[in-house]
Amino acid sequence: MNATTAAGHRHQTRHRRAPSMRRLFLVEFLDLERASGTPGARWELFQIRHLDDPGTFRIETKSRQIAWSWTIAAEAIADALADLWHDQPRDSVFVSINQQEAAEKIRYARHILDTLRDSAIGEHIPPLVRDSMLEIELANGARLTSLPARPPRGRARANVYLDEFAHVADDAAIYTAALPIISKGGRLRIGSSPFGAAGRFWEIASQALRPYPGYTRASAPWWTCYAFCTDPAAARIAAPTMTTPARVAMYGNQRIRAIFDNLDIDDFRQEYESEFVDESRSYFTWEEIRDATRADLLHASATVT
């Protein structure tokens, strides 16, 4: 074993956990290619670590388009079917940046459920007794509810997922409402690409202003994922010490290299490399930008002839 391999082995050992039942269930029974709609799909390391985390609090700073939203939908389905491995089924509540993204979580979950029905345990999957754009309920009583950027209420002991949380305008109110839901049980999972060094997501991830104890803090930049990287195992060791252009040239696949060539480097670092870009570089503050991109703002245009 050479020095590089040994370092990689130690890195993996530090993060190794006993596999969770939800991870074992999904890996064993879910046809990943069909459930994700991606030919050649394989489980990413960040997904395995996410599914195996038993902690109450987890926050993940992530690249865009690595299937974090799909992952939490799959996790929610696994928890909803926990009675298949003699545990209590658990509800899940998603909060997304807008209604379209909220509906997407339920669409993912529904498709994952349909895929499981064709698996070896398909006959044991309970039917849906409620199926709408923003909620599904199974006959075993488990519910998955998806909200568009508003504070969640009720639903004691549910798992709560705050997706792209750095980009939500009412982040403080949503976070304050989310925590009481898990007072008697359940888990809180927060994930987002960065949106500047401000806001509740940045505060929790960085702890720059005050401690937020008890969180597992994880990062999933592009080079850790097979979707973008030609050799994630090697890149996880070498890429963090390289410059952005160097690691893109060394480890980026054709698509990520093309995107890098067409983005400002700071924008690329923020969207794909889990970097909180300093607000001082922008003419407008991040709060001003976020307030101007609310999902419920009305837009009108006219053409003068």
Side-chain angles (χ1 to χ4, degrees):
M1 181 182 294
N2 61 36
T4 300
T5 303
H9 178 73
R10 288 194 299 271
H11 178 78
Q12 293 171 7
T13 301
R14 285 197 304 269
H15 293 87
R16 188 173 295 151
R17 289 191 177 100
S20 67
M21 288 302 300
R22 56 185 174 274
R23 189 251 279 196
L24 293 174
F25 172 79
L26 291 170
V27 171
E28 174 70 20
F29 295 111
L30 188 63
D31 182 337
L32 187 59
E33 289 192 38
R34 180 183 166 195
S36 66
T38 304
R42 58 193 299 178
W43 289 101
E44 301 282 7
L45 182 60
F46 90 86
Q47 294 174 311
I48 298 300
R49 289 177 176 169
H50 177 106
L51 292 169
D52 282 346
D53 189 348
T56 302
F57 304 101
R58 182 179 179 89
I59 186 165
E60 299 176 73
T61 309
K62 64 181 185 64
S63 166
R64 293 279 299 276
Q65 297 297 313
I66 62 169
W68 196 85
S69 298
W70 183 92
T71 302
I72 62 176
E75 181 177 41
I77 287 294
D79 280 328
L81 299 174
D83 51 345
L84 297 183
W85 61 80
H86 308 294
D87 203 348
Q88 183 70 28
R90 190 174 296 280
D91 293 353
S92 291
V93 178
F94 308 102
V95 181
S96 301
I97 58 175
N98 54 42
Q99 182 158 314
Q100 180 180 350
E101 288 299 314
E104 195 75 353
K105 305 296 188 303
I106 299 300
R107 190 183 73 84
Y108 288 150
R110 189 184 297 111
H111 186 57
I112 291 164
L113 197 61
D114 289 342
T115 304
L116 285 169
R117 293 190 194 283
D118 293 331
S119 73
I121 58 163
E123 63 182 300
H124 302 292
I125 304 293
L128 290 175
V129 297
R130 177 178 173 80
D131 186 359
S132 66
M133 184 173 68
L134 297 178
E135 184 174 35
I136 57 176
E137 181 176 354
L138 282 71
N140 67 357
R143 291 179 292 169
L144 277 65
T145 303
S146 200
L147 305 175
R150 70 171 185 262
R153 296 283 175 178
R155 305 297 294 278
R157 295 181 293 277
N159 296 325
V160 181
Y161 298 93
L162 308 181
D163 190 15
E164 286 296 350
F165 191 50
H167 303 264
V168 175
D170 296 327
D171 56 342
I174 288 170
Y175 183 76
T176 299
L179 278 136
I181 293 176
I182 63 169
S183 298
K184 298 178 181 178
R187 303 183 302 274
L188 176 64
R189 298 293 182 259
I190 305 174
S192 188
S193 55
F195 192 51
R200 190 56 55 92
F201 178 79
W202 169 76
E203 291 177 16
I204 300 169
S206 69
Q207 301 189 97
L209 301 183
R210 49 152 287 192
Y212 284 85
Y215 273 92
T216 299
R217 291 174 173 80
S219 177
W222 67 267
W223 67 78
T224 64
C225 300
Y226 288 100
F228 295 136
C229 183
T230 58
D231 189 352
R236 281 193 291 270
I237 298 169
T241 61
M242 302 170 71
T243 65
T244 295
R247 57 183 165 237
V248 169
M250 176 69 72
Y251 295 111
N253 64 14
Q254 182 178 0
R255 181 58 60 95
I256 207 69
R257 292 198 304 269
I259 290 172
F260 174 73
D261 289 339
N262 286 278
L263 268 181
D264 176 84
I265 189 168
D266 285 336
D267 292 338
F268 182 86
R269 288 171 55 227
Q270 179 166 266
E271 299 294 324
Y272 290 95
E273 297 196 331
S274 302
E275 293 285 343
F276 291 95
V277 177
D278 193 336
E279 182 181 83
S280 64
R281 304 182 189 188
S282 176
Y283 181 79
F284 297 103
T285 69
W286 296 115
E287 290 295 330
E288 289 171 331
I289 295 171
R290 187 168 57 180
D291 287 345
T293 56
R294 293 177 56 129
D296 56 353
L297 292 180
L298 298 178
H299 168 75
S301 62
T303 301
V304 178
T305 59

